Structures are given as structure tokens and as C-alpha cells.
Amino acid sequence: MPSITRRRPRNPDGRAAVEARVLAATERLLKEGIRFTDLGVQRIAAEAGVARSTFYTHFRDKTELLMRLAGTMRESSFDRTGEWDPGGPGDPLARLTEVFADVIRIYRTYAPVLAAISEVAAYDEAVREYWAAGLEQFVARTIDALRIEQQAGRTPADLDVTTASRLIVIGGDRFLADHVSTTSADPETDAAAARELAATWWYGAYRRPA
């Protein structure tokens, strides 16, 4: 009797799909104003339409879930800033301003996640170190960029690239988190914030003449 090869049915609830549902459900709940500390796994699972046991097959715990959410935001914003080349064509300050305008939009989108990170980092060392490690990666990338500018003679040789990089990266992250949490979604406030951030980088760390 000839064998019959059966195709496996497509699984709409595959790993990636389930994880995406859980992440999206958590974001929705945070946007409703629920503090992450008060958000139980059962509530998250119910919002995502999965069993509590299913949650634990995809996430070790709530801490891992939060870091996954934060990682998506961090990668989006860091990748966007990484696209800027100070030696590229056109007006570099104008292009950097556009970059920061996009970064602010990303921070606004993830404002509830940022609030959760701030909340949990106060008592959870793993979350605190995770966020700090991401910033340190961006600091290292900025150090490399400033050194290239120094070697090209476009940035003064006496610039302390490490201190300057930490100032604009860590300071910028805290400014952005504060900006999206304390101001309305008024485009004028975001445009002004993007301009001032770009100017701080360009005229401050990169030492370009006004």
C-alpha cells in the first residue's frame, strides 16, 4: 500500500505568534495605566488569550517579558541613530535633527514600557543592569564615531571622547524618558526637543562651529 505523506498543518499559534500576542497584550495593559508591578501573569495571559502555563513556556517570568519589550524599543531607537553619518551628504545637523525626531516618536510609542522599566529597575537588579548594558553599547558606538571624527581632523584632538559620549548618550536617554512622560504629544514640543538634542551633539560633543 503506498504511503501517504501528510503535510503538517500550519500552526497560527507558533512560538513567534504566541510571544507577539503576549508582548502586545502587555503593552495594551500598560497603556491602560496599570503598573507593571501590579500586573499579574494571569492577567497578561488572559489579555493575550493564552493559558498561564503557555506564558511560562515562552517567558521565564515577568522580568524577562519586560526586558523583551524594552529590547524592541532600544533596538529601534539605537538603530535609527546608528543610521546618521556626520560625514554624509547634506546638512548633518538637519539630518541629525530628523533622526532625533524619529527617536522621540519611538520613545513616545513605548512610553508605558519606559515607565515600567523605571519602576522595576528601582528594585530589580536584572532589569537595571539590562537597561544600563544597552546604554553602554550605545556609548561604545558613540566613542568609536567620535574617534573617527578626531582622526579625520573634524573634531578637536583634546576632546575626551569617553566623557563626551557618556554625557550625550546617558544624558540624552534620561532627557527623552522625562520628555515623553511629562509633556503632551504636541508636535511643537517634540520638534524643539529634537532640535536641542541635535544641537547638543553637534556643537557640544562633535565641537562643530556655529
Side-chain angles (χ1 to χ4, degrees):
M1 181 176 181
S3 63
I4 299 175
T5 302
R6 299 181 183 274
R7 289 186 177 181
R8 286 187 175 184
R10 296 182 66 182
N11 181 8
D13 290 325
R15 185 173 189 85
V18 171
E19 292 178 359
R21 285 164 56 189
V22 172
L23 292 168
T26 307
E27 284 191 65
R28 286 196 301 273
L29 292 168
L30 290 174
K31 287 178 180 178
E32 290 176 7
I34 303 174
R35 295 175 67 247
F36 189 79
T37 303
D38 300 331
L39 194 55
V41 169
Q42 184 60 49
R43 178 73 183 278
I44 295 171
E47 178 72 16
V50 301
R52 179 187 175 92
S53 58
T54 301
F55 174 95
Y56 284 111
T57 64
H58 294 270
F59 301 93
R60 182 178 65 254
D61 50 27
K62 281 174 52 183
T63 297
E64 181 182 347
L65 170 64
L66 180 58
M67 290 191 292
R68 288 277 299 279
L69 284 170
T72 300
M73 189 222 87
R74 189 175 67 189
E75 289 170 11
S76 298
S77 58
F78 287 5
D79 287 349
R80 184 65 182 95
T81 54
E83 295 171 2
W84 178 68
D85 177 5
D91 182 343
L93 178 57
R95 287 188 288 104
L96 184 57
T97 301
E98 292 176 2
V99 166
F100 279 123
D102 289 342
V103 170
I104 289 172
R105 281 192 285 271
I106 294 169
Y107 268 68
R108 279 210 182 280
T109 300
Y110 286 92
V113 176
L114 280 169
I117 287 289
S118 178
E119 170 195 340
V120 178
Y123 61 81
D124 191 309
E125 185 178 0
V127 172
R128 185 166 59 251
E129 291 183 350
Y130 175 80
W131 191 255
L135 290 177
E136 290 300 330
Q137 290 177 7
F138 193 23
V139 167
R141 190 162 65 182
T142 305
I143 288 172
D144 290 342
L146 283 172
R147 282 179 175 157
I148 289 172
E149 291 299 294
Q150 279 186 325
Q151 292 165 4
R154 293 186 291 264
T155 292
D158 63 353
L159 173 72
D160 185 326
V161 295
T162 299
T163 300
S165 297
R166 295 186 66 80
L167 175 62
I168 60 177
V169 171
I170 297 175
D173 173 71
R174 291 178 181 172
F175 167 75
L176 287 169
D178 178 75
H179 177 74
V180 300
S181 67
T182 59
T183 62
S184 67
D186 182 355
E188 289 300 320
T189 66
D190 287 352
R195 286 195 306 271
E196 294 307 319
L197 271 172
T200 298
W201 277 53
W202 191 240
Y203 299 123
Y206 282 82
R207 298 289 201 272
R208 293 305 200 268

